[in-house]
Every structure is written in C-alpha cells, then in structure tokens.
Amino acid sequence: MISVLLLVAFFITLLVYITFWYWRIINHWSRRLVMGPKPHWLYGNLDGLRKQQSLNDIFDGCYQQFQGHSVRLLGVYLFVWPGVLVTDRHLAKRILTKDFRNFRNRGMYHNTEDLSGNLFTHDYEKWRMFRTKLSSSFSNFKLKAMLPTFVKASQELIYVMEKDLELGNPTLDIKDLMLRFTIEIIATCAFGLQTNSLRNPNCAFAQITEKANIGEDTSILAKFIMLCFPNVARILRLRYMPQYMVELYIDMVRNILELRSQHKIRYNDIMDTLNDMRLEAPSKLSLKEMAAQTLIFFQAGYETSAYTLTYALYELAHREEVQQKARLEILKTLDKYNNKLTYECLGEMVYLEQIINETLRLYPASPLIIRQCTEDYRVAGTENISIDKGQMVIIPVYSLQRDKRYYSHPNNFNPDNFRPDSIDSESILSFGDGPRNCIGRRFAKMQITVGLIDLLRKFKFQICESTPNPIEFKNSSVLLSPKNEIYLKVEKIQN
C-alpha cells in the first residue's frame, strides 16, 4: 500500500513539475511583456506546418499580424521553445554586423554523413577556417578570370533560345533555361567540368545535381527540426540526403580529383583550394567534408542565381519601358567598349544593377536568415528586452523587404528604389550581411548580370497566356523557389 502511495505521489509530483515547466516556457514572452502572436499549445507559432505552409509563409504571417505596431521584435514560439522574430531592419543589420559576436552561429543541424556539414551550417570556429581559405576563390582577380566562362555560357544560352524560337514556338520556359545556364557556369567554375547542360538538359551532371538537391524530399517538419533543433535532429537521426545520393556525389568528387591528379590539371578553383586543404591536413578535412563544401557551393550558386534571373525577366516582361531603358543602357555601354563584354564595363551598367537589386528585394533567394544567440543580449532601443543564450533569432528578409515603412509601394517592382542617390541602396539582406554574409555574392551577381546583358540585347520579353500571375512558391523549399514553370513570350531583336 505504501509503495502504491509513493508511486502515485511520484507521478503527481512529476505532473506538477511538467505543468510548471510548461507554464513558464509558454509564458516566457508574456512574463517579459514582449508582444507576439498567440501560440498553439504544442506547435507554438508553427501551426502552419500542419497545413503544409512554407516557413516563410508562417513567419510572414506573424510579421503581418503586427504591422503598425512600433516594435523591434516579436516573441515567438518554435513549438514550445521561445524564439525571436526581428521586425526592424536596423536591428536586423545590427545583429548581423555590429553585434555579430552574440550571434555568430546559425545553430543549424549539420552532419558530415549526409553532406550537410558545410560552410553555411558550421559553427563559428570551423566556419572561420573554411571562410578564410575559400575567400580567395572569389577575389576580383579570380572573378575577372572567370568572365570568359560566363560569356561562353551566355552565348550558349542565346544559341539554344534562338534554336527553340526557330521551331516556331515563341513561348519558352524561362525557369528551365536559367537553371541550365547557371548549371553550366557553376559546373565549370567549381568542378572544371564541361556539362553541355544547355544543349543537353538530360546530361549526367544535371541529373546528379537535381537528385542531390539537399532536403528536397524532406518533410517541412523535419526540415524545421533540423533548422532550429539540431540536437533533436541528431537523436532522431534525420537526414537531408539519402545515403545512395551521398555515395554517388562523393564518387563524382573522387573521380574529378583522380582525373586532375593523373593529368596534372589545376584550375585554381574551389575544388583545388579544398583539395589543397585536404592534402595539408587530412585529419581536419576528409573527402566527405570536402564533398560537402562543393555541394553547398553548387546548390547555393545555381538555383538562387537562376531564380533571380527568372524573376527579373518576369518583372521586365510586365514593364516594357523598364526593359527598354535597361536595353539602351546595355547597348550604349557595350558600344563604348567596342561591343565587347569586359569586367570593367559590368560596373558601368548602373540601371541594370538597380534592376537586379530590386529583384533581390522582392524575391530574396533565402527569405529567412537564422541565427542562434551565443551570449545573453540586451536589445538596443528597448528598456528591458533581452534575448537569452541559446534562443533562435529569425530575420524575415522577405517581410522586411516588403515593409511599407521602408518602401512607399513595397509590392511593386521599381528599380528607382535603388538609384545611386537612394537611401535604400544598401538595404537589401538577400545575401545576408556582416561576417557571415554569402561568400559567393559577387560571383552570383556577375553571372546574373552577364546573363541579363546578353538576353536583353538579343531578345524582347513579354507576358503571355501561360505566364503565371502571381508566381506561386514551393512550400517544400527553404528557398523562394517557383512552384511551376515560368513561361514568357520571347521575340528575337532584329539587328
């Protein structure tokens, strides 16, 4: 009888403890008088996961709910754990730059076994090692040397589009073409491979990279657990990529290295830089870790740039006057350089740069920036709000860049938002900011710029019956990815 009473007392005590713990956690922000959306008892503010909403849709909904309130951040709940949603652009930039030491980790799941341990996901110390070594791969000297590769791929793109138009169908899937274009560039610049993906969309390399699309077949719930609760993800043994694809990709990297070694080939590209690191200290960089770095460069480089090109052409197809103004600037600048596309002339196309920046504002490739607080942090400009060590901080790039506080018509495409005398010329966060900004941002902008230059001087773009309006985005992707094909009417300009 006594043992039964003790057992009952134990369970009652445990229940009281769990109830008290839950009450303190779920009332974390209300006890601190911090505004935020009302949480679900289990999902917190992630109830949209049950409706298959994207993470961007979920956090944009939280953001819009408090439009008009003068707050710098919202207290949100990631399931039952407190987190922070930044609602002020200046605070976001401060977290990423001036106060970087408090937010230097992404706090994301990474695992060498499924190639998710990379420059993007690594914690500070390992990230710093890779960043220092790989930064030289994106120097002005290296980018200038890569320009002929960009131009060659661009000329191939024009050739393929002209052949498609000769078949009598003026309506082309721009998204597919831009993906094939950027695959061609990245494969050459990162791997030293000639894939011929523009003329042969079913080439082996394109098929491998499509199947190796990290996380594409992972559920939204699993992605979020890996994104914000890496320890839980490890316990559950979650994976971004299946084992057979890991082995296939590693074999490809191994074959490339063996080919270079046998023929004493050196391109001084990302692959060579990583291989040098591996040979110098094999214990610090395994073949799997090397493969993981190349994979993230490929994934981050080809899809994001392809989608930015697609969105830019989509918007220009709706605005003939903007398209024509950009075309005239391109022709005038090229004429100054004897109709030759040089590294120097890229920087003189100011209006084209405005178009790219405005596209990145409306369609940031990575709509959310995630950081983990590594030291308790008192929020500047508030009386007593603090972010605790270990809490996740979400910067909703998509929402901030479509906020009417910063743009008079935030959902309209207007390149003048980024004219040289505009106060918003440096406001976009599409490539992040601070020490952990996108290492390949200049590479990405260059391939986007080169692509637009050749496309706009050769073709006119218009909307057609098959053009989506508006564009729908994939719920399953952490990127801002088009859900469907993007068809535009394309007309060759007669010289």
Short mmCIF file of all heavy atoms in Angstrom, two decimals, residues 396-415:
data_model
loop_
_atom_site.label_atom_id
_atom_site.label_comp_id
_atom_site.label_asym_id
_atom_site.label_seq_id
_atom_site.Cartn_x
_atom_site.Cartn_y
_atom_site.Cartn_z
N PRO A 396 13.24 37.84 -40.91
CA PRO A 396 12.38 37.56 -42.07
C PRO A 396 12.69 38.51 -43.22
O PRO A 396 12.05 39.55 -43.39
CB PRO A 396 10.98 37.78 -41.51
CG PRO A 396 11.17 38.84 -40.46
CD PRO A 396 12.54 38.64 -39.89
N VAL A 397 13.68 38.16 -44.02
CA VAL A 397 14.15 39.03 -45.10
C VAL A 397 13.02 39.41 -46.05
O VAL A 397 12.85 40.57 -46.42
CB VAL A 397 15.30 38.35 -45.87
CG1 VAL A 397 15.76 39.21 -47.04
CG2 VAL A 397 16.47 38.06 -44.93
N TYR A 398 12.24 38.42 -46.45
CA TYR A 398 11.13 38.66 -47.37
C TYR A 398 10.17 39.71 -46.81
O TYR A 398 9.76 40.64 -47.52
CB TYR A 398 10.39 37.34 -47.61
CG TYR A 398 9.20 37.42 -48.54
CD1 TYR A 398 9.34 37.22 -49.91
CD2 TYR A 398 7.91 37.68 -48.04
CE1 TYR A 398 8.24 37.28 -50.76
CE2 TYR A 398 6.81 37.74 -48.88
CZ TYR A 398 6.98 37.54 -50.23
OH TYR A 398 5.90 37.61 -51.07
N SER A 399 9.82 39.59 -45.54
CA SER A 399 8.87 40.51 -44.91
C SER A 399 9.46 41.91 -44.75
O SER A 399 8.79 42.91 -45.02
CB SER A 399 8.43 39.96 -43.55
OG SER A 399 7.93 38.66 -43.67
N LEU A 400 10.69 41.98 -44.30
CA LEU A 400 11.34 43.28 -44.09
C LEU A 400 11.48 44.05 -45.40
O LEU A 400 11.32 45.27 -45.44
CB LEU A 400 12.72 43.08 -43.47
CG LEU A 400 12.75 42.70 -41.98
CD1 LEU A 400 14.15 42.23 -41.58
CD2 LEU A 400 12.31 43.87 -41.10
N GLN A 401 11.76 43.32 -46.49
CA GLN A 401 11.98 43.98 -47.77
C GLN A 401 10.69 44.30 -48.51
O GLN A 401 10.71 44.93 -49.56
CB GLN A 401 12.93 43.13 -48.63
CG GLN A 401 14.33 43.09 -48.02
CD GLN A 401 15.34 42.27 -48.79
OE1 GLN A 401 16.50 42.23 -48.43
NE2 GLN A 401 14.94 41.61 -49.86
N ARG A 402 9.56 43.90 -47.93
CA ARG A 402 8.26 44.28 -48.48
C ARG A 402 7.44 45.06 -47.44
O ARG A 402 6.22 45.02 -47.44
CB ARG A 402 7.49 43.03 -48.93
CG ARG A 402 8.05 42.38 -50.19
CD ARG A 402 7.28 41.12 -50.55
NE ARG A 402 7.75 40.49 -51.77
CZ ARG A 402 7.05 40.39 -52.90
NH1 ARG A 402 5.83 40.92 -52.95
NH2 ARG A 402 7.55 39.78 -53.96
N ASP A 403 8.14 45.78 -46.58
CA ASP A 403 7.50 46.52 -45.49
C ASP A 403 7.25 47.97 -45.95
O ASP A 403 8.16 48.65 -46.42
CB ASP A 403 8.41 46.51 -44.26
CG ASP A 403 7.70 47.00 -43.00
OD1 ASP A 403 6.95 47.99 -43.09
OD2 ASP A 403 7.91 46.41 -41.93
N LYS A 404 6.01 48.44 -45.77
CA LYS A 404 5.64 49.79 -46.22
C LYS A 404 6.34 50.88 -45.42
O LYS A 404 6.33 52.04 -45.83
CB LYS A 404 4.13 49.97 -46.16
CG LYS A 404 3.51 49.79 -44.78
CD LYS A 404 1.99 49.87 -44.85
CE LYS A 404 1.36 49.64 -43.49
NZ LYS A 404 -0.13 49.63 -43.57
N ARG A 405 6.94 50.54 -44.29
CA ARG A 405 7.72 51.53 -43.54
C ARG A 405 8.97 51.93 -44.32
O ARG A 405 9.48 53.04 -44.14
CB ARG A 405 8.14 50.97 -42.18
CG ARG A 405 7.02 50.78 -41.18
CD ARG A 405 7.56 50.20 -39.89
NE ARG A 405 8.10 48.85 -40.07
CZ ARG A 405 8.77 48.19 -39.15
NH1 ARG A 405 9.01 48.75 -37.97
NH2 ARG A 405 9.20 46.96 -39.38
N TYR A 406 9.46 51.03 -45.15
CA TYR A 406 10.71 51.29 -45.85
C TYR A 406 10.52 51.58 -47.34
O TYR A 406 11.41 52.15 -47.97
CB TYR A 406 11.65 50.08 -45.69
CG TYR A 406 11.82 49.65 -44.25
CD1 TYR A 406 11.50 48.35 -43.85
CD2 TYR A 406 12.26 50.54 -43.28
CE1 TYR A 406 11.66 47.95 -42.52
CE2 TYR A 406 12.41 50.15 -41.96
CZ TYR A 406 12.10 48.86 -41.59
OH TYR A 406 12.25 48.48 -40.27
N TYR A 407 9.37 51.18 -47.90
CA TYR A 407 9.10 51.40 -49.32
C TYR A 407 7.66 51.87 -49.47
O TYR A 407 6.74 51.26 -48.91
CB TYR A 407 9.32 50.10 -50.12
CG TYR A 407 10.73 49.56 -49.98
CD1 TYR A 407 11.03 48.59 -49.03
CD2 TYR A 407 11.75 50.05 -50.79
CE1 TYR A 407 12.32 48.11 -48.88
CE2 TYR A 407 13.04 49.57 -50.65
CZ TYR A 407 13.33 48.61 -49.69
OH TYR A 407 14.60 48.14 -49.54
N SER A 408 7.47 52.93 -50.25
CA SER A 408 6.13 53.52 -50.37
C SER A 408 5.15 52.56 -51.03
O SER A 408 3.97 52.54 -50.69
CB SER A 408 6.21 54.84 -51.16
OG SER A 408 6.83 54.64 -52.42
N HIS A 409 5.61 51.79 -51.99
CA HIS A 409 4.76 50.78 -52.64
C HIS A 409 5.55 49.46 -52.60
O HIS A 409 6.14 49.04 -53.62
CB HIS A 409 4.43 51.18 -54.08
CG HIS A 409 3.69 52.48 -54.17
ND1 HIS A 409 2.35 52.59 -53.85
CD2 HIS A 409 4.11 53.74 -54.51
CE1 HIS A 409 1.97 53.85 -54.01
NE2 HIS A 409 3.01 54.56 -54.39
N PRO A 410 5.56 48.79 -51.45
CA PRO A 410 6.50 47.69 -51.21
C PRO A 410 6.36 46.48 -52.11
O PRO A 410 7.31 45.74 -52.30
CB PRO A 410 6.23 47.32 -49.75
CG PRO A 410 4.83 47.78 -49.48
CD PRO A 410 4.67 49.02 -50.30
N ASN A 411 5.17 46.25 -52.68
CA ASN A 411 4.97 45.06 -53.51
C ASN A 411 5.10 45.35 -55.01
O ASN A 411 4.90 44.45 -55.83
CB ASN A 411 3.60 44.45 -53.22
CG ASN A 411 3.51 43.90 -51.81
OD1 ASN A 411 4.42 43.20 -51.36
ND2 ASN A 411 2.46 44.23 -51.10
N ASN A 412 5.42 46.60 -55.36
CA ASN A 412 5.59 46.98 -56.76
C ASN A 412 7.07 46.92 -57.15
O ASN A 412 7.94 47.33 -56.37
CB ASN A 412 5.06 48.39 -57.00
CG ASN A 412 3.55 48.46 -56.88
OD1 ASN A 412 2.87 47.44 -56.80
ND2 ASN A 412 3.02 49.66 -56.84
N PHE A 413 7.32 46.47 -58.35
CA PHE A 413 8.69 46.41 -58.88
C PHE A 413 9.09 47.80 -59.36
O PHE A 413 8.52 48.32 -60.31
CB PHE A 413 8.75 45.41 -60.02
CG PHE A 413 10.13 45.20 -60.60
CD1 PHE A 413 10.99 44.29 -60.02
CD2 PHE A 413 10.55 45.91 -61.71
CE1 PHE A 413 12.26 44.08 -60.55
CE2 PHE A 413 11.81 45.72 -62.25
CZ PHE A 413 12.67 44.81 -61.67
N ASN A 414 10.07 48.39 -58.70
CA ASN A 414 10.50 49.76 -59.04
C ASN A 414 12.01 49.88 -58.85
O ASN A 414 12.50 50.09 -57.74
CB ASN A 414 9.78 50.77 -58.15
CG ASN A 414 10.19 52.21 -58.45
OD1 ASN A 414 10.81 52.48 -59.49
ND2 ASN A 414 9.89 53.12 -57.56
N PRO A 415 12.79 49.79 -59.94
CA PRO A 415 14.25 49.89 -59.84
C PRO A 415 14.74 51.19 -59.24
O PRO A 415 15.86 51.26 -58.72
CB PRO A 415 14.71 49.75 -61.30
CG PRO A 415 13.61 49.00 -61.98
CD PRO A 415 12.35 49.48 -61.33
#
